[in-house]
């Protein structure tokens, strides 16, 4: 133990500088001023003790009767806790009274801060002690550190976070210079330092142990050796408690504090990569010693003990293990002989999830489905890497087609599908589906040669297997290929066949994808049926609660209206499409739709806004790894004309500034929010014409323009769906419209700027 300082209390003198944590020190100090019992929690190695001591040292002047440390790490007997505290505070052990009563009497009239350090293995005894002392001593404050809360009334809990990237790098440099004075974090090694600290989860203990290795290793060598972090970071510091001297000792300490069921779940949760949901934990980890109904309770106890961290991803409640905790659990899982079985269950769970999403894609819940797949991305890659069953891997890669193509993971999808196809050449239904998925990815990447090769084989398998749905997919993808190459006349009959084939095979649901593409081709060819086909696609999607294809159909109708000079309708349609697309947060479709909005803005003379929107699309195209030329000459030509207009208006430098501003959005949703944030007055003359609608009909029209279904509008306005049906029909009749898209476009010319 460190030498005791001369000031009141018994706080140890620090052996090393305290790096970072300014925000945490301020926050903990503030909470300590308003709460009489404050517990710092977090996983082993996160720095709870050091933070508590730093806050305590800074609070000495506020506690004239002393700041006292009670170190409970060596204590094993719960009955000894009060006695250890008596000794630490220097209370004379006189008389026959119990230690807790002596301590309560000693503190009763004093203003004191007591730090109860390492309470996790004695939580019950510490809780009783704290409750008794706080009741007896009004001037007492207790600052506890524990991997689990004490669980008594009045306890305030502060979860100690990992170090920020900057703090972690600062700690590494500070500790490394002690063993290698010339070490510096510089531009040459900054990226590797950041990677090292990130791989160590920002855990101060792990970073300090890694710094000691820089005596003989470079940062790059350290990063490359982290696969066995427990052996690498085994250096010991004699001034630390035994359970804090090595990374493994810290994990062993946490593991020993767990019950057998908690250890079992910890081991099994290590198969998850990047986080997991409760449903996944129950499906994958239950059984053989852990019944499904008990998983939630055991998981909750692991959260309480800071082994599992609750988190969220795009609003989805999730859990995760720090990499160090996960690797420790994985070692234990391997030792138990359960690893292979758990990996199969992990793969099977994610295969079932992906197939369920793919089978029911053309219906409600698409935004939620893509969000879930994004949350599971690391798990999906881990499941695909488990190669015990090539056909299962192939099925998973194929079932993830909407994740790859609609979710913006084209390059990863291409890699995974290519690998899976190479590993499973047998002519199975899974291979046929994977060939179609790979063809779609290749077409979006402008690789028609690969798409042709895969489509040819998929077509042969469709005939051999007499699979009507597969035939429909192949024909539709061939139509897409012709359209992307600018051969619209050849594409149209293929899309017509695909729509008919999908309708015959599986009903109208899956046909809507080809239907909106058929409408787009017809409109580009000047076929008078095109606009009605697009409206049919919108209506079909709406009837099924489908939103992804619906947004694309609205987009194609907007493109056509703009090319026909119908700017107001084009604006209303693309705004309606983007309102839907906002919920998907996927880059490819967002880029296409924002391109169209940029063209419309430019046609209204809104060149600055058009340039900024083009900046957003440029970033989205780069993120997804393709550009608009992949989708055929009409779109590419429109983009070039828009860009030319904006450059003429702003000048090259002004255009580049606008691009830079627009490119500052982090994700598709932000890009859409940014693009829709500015208002355009699309038709001042039309806006001045009195509306023929009643107040209630205008309310309904506004909600139609937001993309709500009649049922959702009824819920919003607190009326019956039949009443909304009546209002919508009245709106259409009064305005002479046949579809909701026209209502949305009309509303864009009528709605006040604040609406």
């Amino acid at each position: 133990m460190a030498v005791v300082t001369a000031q009141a209390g018994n706080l140890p003198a620090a052996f090393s500088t305290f790096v970072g944590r300014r925000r945490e020190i301020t926050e903990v100090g503030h909470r300590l001023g308003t709460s009489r019992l404050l517990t710092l929690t977090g996983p082993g190695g996160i720095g709870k003790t050091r933070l508590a001591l730093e806050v305590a040292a800074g609070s000495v002047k506020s506690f004239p009767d002393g700041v006292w440390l009670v170190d409970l790490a060596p204590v094993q007997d719960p009955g000894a806790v009060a006695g250890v505290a008596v000794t630490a505070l220097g209370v004379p052990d006189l008389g026959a009274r119990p230690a807790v009563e002596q301590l309560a009497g000693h503190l009763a009239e004093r203003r004191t801060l007591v730090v109860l350090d390492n309470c996790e293995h004695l939580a019950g005894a510490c809780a009783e002690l704290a409750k008794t002392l706080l009741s007896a001593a009004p001037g007492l404050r207790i600052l506890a550190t524990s991997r689990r809360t004490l669980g008594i009334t009045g306890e305030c809990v502060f979860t100690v976070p990992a170090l920020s990237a900057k703090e972690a790098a600062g700690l590494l440099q500070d500790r490394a210079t002690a063993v290698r004075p010339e070490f510096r974090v510089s531009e040459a090694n900054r990226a590797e330092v950041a990677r090292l600290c990130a791989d160590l989860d920002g855990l101060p203990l792990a970073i300090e142990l890694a710094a000691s290795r820089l005596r003989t290793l470079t940062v790059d060598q350290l990063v490359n050796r982290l696969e066995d972090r427990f052996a690498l970071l085994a250096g010991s510091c004699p001034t630390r408690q035994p359970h804090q001297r090595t990374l493994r000792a810290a994990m062993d300490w946490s593991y020993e504090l767990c019950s057998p069921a908690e250890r079992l779940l910890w081991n099994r949760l290590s198969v998850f990569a990047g986080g997991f949901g409760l449903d996944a934990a129950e499906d994958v980890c239950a059984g053989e010693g852990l019944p499904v109904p008990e998983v939630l309770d055991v998981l909750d106890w692991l959260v309480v003990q800071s082994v599992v961290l609750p988190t969220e991803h795009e609003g989805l409640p999730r859990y995760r293990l720090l990499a160090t905790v996960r690797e420790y659990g994985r070692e234990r899982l391997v030792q138990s002989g359960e690893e292979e079985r758990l990996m199969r269950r992990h793969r099977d769970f994610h295969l079932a999830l992906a197939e369920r999403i793919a089978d029911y894609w053309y219906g409600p819940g698409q935004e939620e489905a893509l969000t879930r797949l994004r949350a599971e991305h690391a798990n999906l890659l881990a499941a695909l890497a488990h190669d015990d069953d090539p056909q299962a891997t192939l099925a998973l890669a194929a079932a993830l087609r909407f994740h790859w193509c609609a979710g913006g993971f084209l390059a990863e999808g291409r890699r995974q599908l290519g690998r899976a196809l190479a590993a499973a050449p047998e002519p199975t239904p899974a291979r046929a589906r994977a060939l179609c998925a790979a063809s779609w990815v290749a077409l979006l990447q402008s690789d028609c040669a690969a798409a042709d090769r895969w489509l040819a084989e998929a077509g042969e398998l469709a005939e051999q297997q007499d699979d009507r749905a597969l035939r429909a997919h192949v024909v539709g993808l061939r139509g897409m290929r012709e359209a992307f190459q600018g051969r619209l006349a050849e594409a149209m009959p293929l899309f017509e066949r695909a729509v008919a084939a999908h309708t015959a095979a599986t009903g109208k649901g899956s046909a809507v994808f080809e239907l909106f593409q058929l409408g787009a081709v017809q409109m580009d060819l000047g076929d008078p049926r095109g606009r009605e086909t697009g409206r049919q696609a919108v209506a079909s999607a709406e009837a099924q609660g489908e939103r992804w294809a619906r947004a694309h159909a609205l987009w194609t109708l907007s493109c056509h209206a703009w090319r026909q000079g119908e700017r107001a309708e084009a604006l209303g349609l693309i705004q309606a499409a983007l309102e839907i697309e906002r919920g998907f947060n996927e880059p490819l479709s967002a880029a296409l739709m924002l391109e169209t909005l940029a063209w419309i803005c430019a046609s209204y003379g809104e060149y600055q806004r058009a340039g900024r929107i083009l900046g957003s699309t440029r970033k989205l195209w780069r993120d997804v790894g393709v550009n608009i030329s992949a989708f055929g000459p009409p779109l590419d030509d429109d983009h070039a004309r828009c860009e030319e207009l904006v450059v003429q208006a702003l000048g090259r430098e002004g255009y580049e500034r606008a691009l830079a501003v627009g490119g500052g959005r982090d994700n598709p949703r932000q890009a859409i929010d940014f693009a829709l944030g500015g208002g355009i007055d699309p038709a001042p003359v039309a806006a001045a014409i009195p509306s023929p609608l009643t107040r209630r009909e205008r309310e309904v029209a506004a909600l139609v323009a937001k993309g709500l279904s009649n049922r959702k509008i009824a819920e919003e306005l607190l009326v019956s769906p039949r009443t909304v049906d009546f209002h919508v029909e009245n709106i259409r009749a009064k305005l002479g419209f046949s579809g909701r898209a026209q209502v949305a476009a009309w509303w864009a010319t009528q709605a006040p700027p604040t609406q």
Side-chain angles (χ1 to χ4, degrees):
M1 179 56 68
V3 178
V4 176
T5 60
Q7 61 197 15
N10 69 339
L11 291 184
F15 280 95
S16 57
T17 56
F18 187 83
V19 179
R21 299 281 200 202
R22 294 296 104 191
R23 187 188 66 81
E24 288 85 354
I25 288 174
T26 301
E27 178 66 19
V28 172
H30 172 73
R31 294 195 188 190
L32 192 59
T34 58
S35 304
R36 298 188 61 211
L37 171 59
L38 174 61
T39 302
L40 307 186
T41 66
I46 201 70
K48 299 181 292 295
T49 296
R50 192 64 196 272
L51 177 59
L53 292 177
E54 192 71 13
V55 170
S59 305
V60 168
K61 292 182 180 179
S62 300
F63 296 96
D65 295 306
V67 177
W68 304 87
L69 172 66
V70 180
D71 181 12
L72 297 170
V75 182
Q76 297 301 316
D77 179 8
V81 169
V84 170
V86 164
T87 301
L89 269 68
V91 179
D93 187 6
L94 303 173
R97 288 190 303 161
V100 67
E101 291 184 18
Q102 295 181 47
L103 195 56
H106 176 78
L107 295 172
E109 303 298 328
R110 287 177 165 84
R111 288 178 57 196
T112 308
L113 172 63
V114 173
V115 180
L116 294 178
D117 192 29
N118 296 299
C119 298
E120 53 268 358
H121 60 305
L122 301 163
C126 290
E128 287 298 322
L129 177 65
K131 184 177 179 181
T132 300
L133 296 182
L134 290 170
S135 298
L140 173 66
R141 291 285 192 277
I142 295 178
L143 178 60
T145 73
S146 177
R147 300 185 192 189
R148 54 174 294 186
T149 62
L150 302 187
I152 63 175
T153 303
E155 179 184 25
C156 178
V157 177
F158 180 83
T159 302
V160 180
L163 294 174
S164 69
K166 183 178 180 180
E167 290 172 333
L171 179 62
L172 184 75
Q173 175 166 302
D174 183 86
R175 300 303 189 256
T177 53
V179 297
R180 189 175 166 187
E182 72 278 10
F183 178 82
R184 293 291 183 275
V185 176
S186 64
E187 288 303 317
N189 66 5
R190 192 177 306 279
E192 286 302 313
V193 166
R195 182 181 166 196
L196 173 65
C197 294
D199 286 349
L200 293 174
D201 303 309
L203 281 176
L205 172 60
I207 291 169
E208 293 196 11
L209 292 171
S212 69
R213 287 294 191 183
L214 290 175
R215 179 187 290 108
T216 53
L217 297 175
T218 66
V219 177
D220 186 58
Q221 288 173 320
L222 256 180
V223 170
N224 293 330
R225 289 170 176 264
L226 273 185
E227 189 171 313
D228 188 1
R229 67 186 62 204
F230 296 114
L232 180 67
L233 305 181
S236 182
C237 176
T239 61
R240 290 183 177 273
Q241 295 289 350
H243 68 278
Q244 296 174 333
R245 289 177 184 170
T246 70
L247 199 57
R248 183 177 295 281
M251 292 299 103
D252 285 341
W253 175 263
S254 290
Y255 198 76
E256 289 162 6
L257 293 174
C258 292
S259 69
E262 291 161 3
R263 295 176 189 176
L264 187 62
L265 184 57
W266 179 350
N267 298 348
R268 293 175 177 178
L269 289 174
S270 69
V271 300
F272 291 105
F276 55 91
L278 176 60
D279 60 338
E282 290 177 328
D283 189 281
V284 175
C285 300
E288 298 193 25
L290 187 61
V292 173
E294 294 182 13
V295 171
L296 175 57
D297 287 338
V298 178
L299 179 62
D300 188 53
W301 275 110
L302 289 177
V303 171
V304 167
Q305 297 182 83
S306 304
V307 174
V308 174
L309 305 179
T311 183
E312 70 169 42
H313 179 96
E314 296 186 49
L316 291 177
R318 306 275 292 170
Y319 301 91
R320 72 184 183 96
L321 302 177
L322 293 177
T324 301
V325 176
R326 178 174 178 264
E327 186 174 320
Y328 183 88
R330 194 58 169 264
E331 279 191 6
R332 294 283 189 165
L333 184 68
V334 171
Q335 293 167 7
S336 73
E338 284 197 315
E339 183 186 33
E340 182 61 30
R341 183 178 68 84
L342 265 292
M343 286 301 298
R344 283 197 302 272
R345 294 191 66 166
H346 176 273
R347 191 266 322 283
D348 292 345
F349 172 82
H350 290 96
L351 173 58
L353 173 68
E355 288 185 331
R356 187 165 60 251
I357 288 173
D359 290 345
Y360 294 97
W361 173 255
Y362 293 105
Q366 292 169 313
E367 295 102 319
E368 294 83 356
L370 280 186
T371 299
R372 177 66 188 271
L373 291 177
R374 281 194 296 271
E376 301 294 357
H377 185 71
N379 281 312
L380 297 172
L381 297 186
L384 287 164
H386 188 62
D387 291 333
D388 70 317
D389 183 349
Q391 288 298 319
T393 302
L394 199 59
L396 177 56
L400 290 171
R401 56 190 175 275
F402 294 105
H403 182 55
W404 308 136
C405 296
F409 293 95
L410 291 178
E412 188 62 53
R414 178 72 177 268
R415 188 176 76 85
Q416 294 292 344
L417 284 160
R419 189 178 68 85
L421 286 166
E426 299 81 8
T428 61
R431 181 173 179 83
R433 291 190 295 272
L435 287 165
C436 283
S439 301
W440 188 12
V441 171
L443 286 171
L444 294 175
Q445 293 179 318
S446 299
D447 189 350
C448 291
D452 287 344
R453 185 171 67 255
W454 285 325
L455 276 176
E457 185 182 350
E460 292 174 3
L461 292 180
E463 295 304 320
Q464 292 173 15
Q465 297 166 12
D466 193 24
D467 188 328
R468 293 193 302 167
L470 183 59
R471 284 196 198 100
H473 282 301
V474 171
V475 174
L477 288 166
R478 285 174 175 161
M480 187 186 296
R481 187 228 191 274
E482 297 300 321
F484 285 2
Q485 291 296 299
R487 295 190 286 270
L488 304 183
E490 291 82 356
M492 187 165 71
L494 289 169
F495 282 132
E496 289 173 337
R497 284 173 52 198
V499 169
H502 272 298
T503 303
T506 59
K508 292 184 178 180
S510 58
V512 70
F513 183 56
E514 275 74 21
L515 189 62
F516 89 74
Q517 293 181 87
L518 172 61
V521 168
Q522 289 174 333
M523 286 184 278
D524 287 343
L525 286 172
D527 189 319
R529 299 173 298 172
R531 185 171 288 189
E532 184 55 35
T533 301
R535 291 170 179 165
Q536 287 176 12
V538 172
S540 176
E542 185 177 288
Q544 301 167 82
E546 200 278 351
R547 290 169 61 80
W548 183 70
R550 180 184 173 196
H552 286 77
L554 290 168
W555 162 65
T556 61
L557 287 166
S558 176
C559 291
H560 179 68
W562 177 72
R563 291 176 186 134
Q564 298 301 306
E566 300 166 358
R567 296 184 304 176
E569 181 170 355
L571 178 61
L573 289 164
I574 200 59
Q575 286 175 332
L578 284 166
E579 286 291 349
I580 296 172
E581 183 59 31
R582 191 201 308 259
F584 285 92
N585 198 29
E586 58 105 346
L588 191 60
S589 300
L592 286 169
M593 295 175 194
L594 288 170
E595 281 276 354
T596 302
L597 179 59
W599 310 339
I600 297 169
C601 290
S603 71
Y604 275 108
E606 294 273 356
Y607 299 115
Q608 188 70 240
R609 185 179 175 199
R612 291 176 176 180
I613 295 172
L614 288 177
S616 294
T617 64
R618 183 173 71 171
K619 181 178 186 300
L620 292 171
W621 290 126
R622 288 175 177 174
D623 289 347
V624 84
V626 298
N627 58 57
I628 198 168
S629 64
F631 299 90
L635 298 178
D636 201 18
D637 294 343
D638 291 335
H639 170 85
R641 281 193 293 270
C642 176
E643 188 172 49
E644 184 179 352
L645 283 173
V646 176
V647 171
Q648 286 176 357
L650 303 181
R652 175 55 63 178
E653 289 186 4
Y655 177 53
E656 290 297 331
R657 286 195 296 271
L659 289 175
V661 171
R665 311 309 115 183
D666 290 334
N667 56 56
R669 184 178 289 118
Q670 288 185 10
I672 293 173
D673 289 342
F674 174 73
L676 294 179
I680 294 178
D681 183 5
V685 176
I689 299 173
S691 169
L693 305 185
T694 66
R695 181 184 62 81
R696 176 62 87 181
E697 286 168 350
R698 286 179 63 80
E699 290 176 345
V700 172
L703 295 174
V704 168
K706 288 184 177 180
L708 272 65
S709 66
N710 285 4
R711 182 174 60 81
K712 290 291 186 183
I713 293 172
E715 294 174 0
E716 183 82 13
L717 298 179
L718 301 177
V719 298
S720 70
R722 182 171 296 179
T723 299
V724 175
D725 294 342
F726 174 77
H727 285 313
V728 171
E729 289 307 314
N730 275 354
I731 292 168
R732 288 174 172 172
K734 288 181 179 181
L735 300 177
F737 294 157
S738 60
R740 299 169 78 88
Q742 291 171 295
V743 175
W746 174 84
W747 180 254
T749 71
Q750 300 291 312
T754 57
Q755 198 136 11

